[in-house]
Amino acid sequence: ARSGKRVLALDARGHGKSLWSPSGNYSRDTAIQDIKDVLEFFKMPECLLVGMSMGAAVSASFTAQHPSCVAKLVLVDWAPFPDDKPPQGVERIAMMFMREWESFGEAVDEVVMSNPRRTRSNVHARLLHQLRRKDDGTWTWAVDSGMKDSMAERSKEPPKVMWDSLKQLRCPCLVVRGAQSDILSEAQAARCQSELGIACAVVADAGHSVAGDNPAGFLAATLPFLEGSKL
């Protein structure tokens, strides 16, 4: 943004401040179309695309399907799952998204305890955006519970589907891994590099939420890659 580029930070439908789907449609194809719609709305024929976690999977699929729309792609702490089973961190995240708290402060306390890399002020600011207060006064994640069906369906998908998407990429791509991530293993990142020629960067002092855990390290890993673009 400081260099004069337009920067858009999107909440996926059903997340954060984005509206929930009236039809309960949270398929990957719908998420891909959402990105296309946003680019068309802002009259951006081409972009630099950065996606994290689930957003990285959607970004990779979008880029494979719409190669002319993406000049460079950054996948943050995500690669297709190993062939045998999902990483340990997937269950941790699923359990966390089922949590409810009696107060906002209680939620902040728990997240600070679970991720000591973050300051309390950082977690407080993050959760103001990511939590919502229910009618009964308790707090939970600002995520549509209707997404569970779509997530369950994707969990049955063989890893080959997403590996095949990565093989279709034609633009420069960078995988950024948090050094302490329990989602993207060192072996999976290395597989992206050895089999697909995708560049990989590791950010120290960061888990799965790389950009939030170590913002300076994340920028140091990604900006040199992105700044070489003609956009």
Side-chain angles (χ1 to χ4, degrees):
R2 286 195 296 265
S3 66
K5 290 183 171 61
R6 169 183 279 176
V7 178
L8 304 177
L10 309 183
D11 282 338
R13 64 165 61 196
H15 290 72
K17 304 303 182 186
S18 286
L19 296 176
W20 293 2
S21 172
S23 64
N25 185 349
Y26 293 104
S27 68
R28 184 180 294 131
D29 286 343
T30 299
I32 290 169
Q33 186 59 46
D34 286 344
I35 296 176
K36 190 74 165 63
D37 290 344
V38 168
L39 292 180
E40 290 178 353
F41 179 84
F42 286 100
K43 296 180 172 56
M44 299 170 66
E46 192 176 25
C47 70
L48 306 173
L49 188 58
V50 180
M52 179 200 155
S53 194
M54 181 197 81
V58 173
S59 296
S61 297
F62 174 84
T63 305
Q65 293 184 25
H66 302 281
S68 65
C69 293
V70 183
K72 288 187 175 183
L73 174 66
V74 178
L75 305 175
V76 183
D77 215 65
W78 175 86
F81 290 161
D83 294 334
D84 50 357
K85 61 181 181 180
Q88 180 181 357
V90 172
E91 183 176 354
R92 173 185 61 80
I93 291 175
M95 293 296 292
M96 175 63 81
F97 272 98
M98 295 174 63
R99 290 284 291 117
E100 294 184 359
W101 298 272
E102 291 297 321
S103 68
F104 183 80
E106 181 181 319
V108 172
D109 290 341
E110 181 173 328
V111 175
V112 168
M113 186 176 298
S114 67
N115 189 355
R117 305 177 192 91
R118 303 282 188 110
T119 64
R120 186 176 183 83
S121 61
N122 176 286
V123 171
H124 186 279
R126 171 192 173 200
L127 294 187
L128 283 174
H129 180 81
Q130 293 187 318
L131 297 186
R132 65 182 178 88
R133 192 174 188 178
K134 298 172 62 179
D135 292 340
D136 63 4
T138 59
W139 290 78
T140 190
W141 297 97
V143 174
D144 186 356
S145 60
M147 285 192 295
K148 291 177 182 177
D149 291 341
S150 295
M151 293 173 67
E153 199 63 33
R154 284 198 295 270
S155 70
K156 301 174 187 175
E157 180 181 85
K160 183 180 183 300
V161 173
M162 290 310 301
W163 282 114
D164 287 348
S165 284
L166 291 185
K167 290 175 183 177
Q168 296 176 45
L169 298 180
R170 296 295 176 261
C171 68
C173 181
L174 173 68
V175 168
V176 179
R177 175 179 175 268
Q180 286 86 47
S181 173
D182 59 357
I183 295 290
L184 176 58
S185 69
E186 187 175 352
Q188 289 304 98
R191 183 178 174 183
C192 289
Q193 193 164 24
S194 63
E195 294 187 13
L196 304 174
I198 295 175
C200 296
V202 179
V203 177
D205 300 319
H208 181 53
S209 299
V210 185
D213 289 351
N214 185 349
F218 176 73
L219 291 176
T222 56
L223 284 184
F225 172 78
L226 295 174
E227 285 175 345
S229 170
K230 62 184 180 181
L231 294 182

